[in-house]
Amino acid sequence: MGLTVAVLVAANLAVHRWTGLPGLVTAAVACVVLLGVLRWAGGTLADAGLAPGTLARGARWALALIALVGVVYLAAALLPATRLLFEDRRYSGMDGGELMLRVLVLVPLGTVLLEETAFRGVLYGLVLRARGAAWATGVSSVLFGLWHVLPSLHLATAKPALSPVFGDSRLGAAAAVGAAVLFTAGAGVLFCELRRRSGSLLAPMGLHWAVNAFGYVVGFLLR
């Protein structure tokens, strides 16, 4: 598992530094390396949640979860009390082309594929073989939360709804990062449970993509 964590640290630093095509290439290389580590450790595609016999079931789970997220986001966007949660200053200069690039390319390939392969695929599979589902969920989710430290550094200032809560001080920024780590660790538990119940990596992939992609769409439309 130590080698897997080392690859994750390197990948996290790289994808945070590089965007666009270099970031996508980095994500793809990291996925290949991680799957190679799994194979070297004696794991199989089934350990990564990618056994051919589970893909159809996983796809059904994914489609149902995507539809559910769509309904929830639509309702939240229509309600004044929750609409502010989608506001993000990073969307101010975005056009339709960039939105489609993010939704159809950067999110599924640069974010979802890498993070799900890493945390609910290889890491979860390795720990599951050694210590069982509870340990696999705990280790995967904690590291998934820590993975989001760098992307959350400017979260308090980017999200208007969070500024009154955390302010613009260094302490507020640190608190926002801590909250993001806890939130994403909790999301990691949910993703791991979807992986366990469906037997397929496609289920958490579908939910992960829907949460991120629909968030971009709604945020863009409500600018």
Side-chain angles (χ1 to χ4, degrees):
M1 193 183 76
L3 181 57
T4 304
V5 173
V7 173
L8 288 176
V9 171
N12 186 256
L13 293 172
V15 298
H16 182 72
R17 180 181 179 85
W18 297 322
T19 58
L21 182 59
L24 291 177
V25 172
T26 300
V29 170
C31 286
V32 172
V33 172
L34 287 167
L35 290 172
V37 170
L38 178 66
R39 183 62 181 267
W40 174 77
T44 65
L45 287 178
D47 292 313
L50 295 171
T54 67
L55 297 182
R57 176 179 170 83
R60 292 193 294 271
W61 276 72
L63 291 174
L65 291 164
I66 289 170
L68 177 61
V69 172
V71 171
V72 171
Y73 273 34
L74 177 60
L78 294 176
L79 294 173
T82 52
R83 189 179 302 156
L84 289 175
L85 297 175
F86 294 100
E87 292 185 5
D88 193 317
R89 294 187 178 94
R90 292 170 291 185
Y91 299 154
S92 58
M94 187 182 298
D95 58 23
E98 184 178 352
L99 174 67
M100 290 298 98
L101 177 64
R102 288 177 180 271
V103 169
L104 300 178
V105 179
L106 297 181
V107 169
L109 300 181
T111 300
V112 175
L113 180 63
L114 172 58
E115 293 180 3
E116 292 307 320
T117 299
F119 294 101
R120 265 68 64 180
V122 173
L123 187 61
Y124 183 91
L126 287 174
V127 180
L128 180 67
R129 284 163 55 94
R131 303 296 296 270
W135 272 90
T137 297
V139 171
S140 171
S141 301
V142 168
L143 292 179
F144 185 59
L146 294 174
W147 173 271
H148 288 83
V149 168
L150 291 179
S152 304
L153 291 178
H154 304 290
L155 185 63
T157 55
K159 288 279 191 181
L162 299 181
S163 297
V165 178
F166 297 105
D168 56 2
S169 66
R170 290 185 177 180
L171 181 60
V177 171
V181 169
L182 290 175
F183 178 82
T184 49
V189 173
L190 174 59
F191 291 151
C192 286
E193 186 63 10
L194 288 173
R195 154 71 200 275
R196 186 183 72 83
R197 288 180 177 271
S198 68
S200 172
L201 196 61
L202 295 185
M205 277 184 168
L207 179 61
H208 197 162
W209 175 82
V211 169
N212 287 19
F214 291 169
Y216 275 119
V217 172
V218 176
F220 176 81
L221 295 176
L222 294 179
R223 292 181 304 170

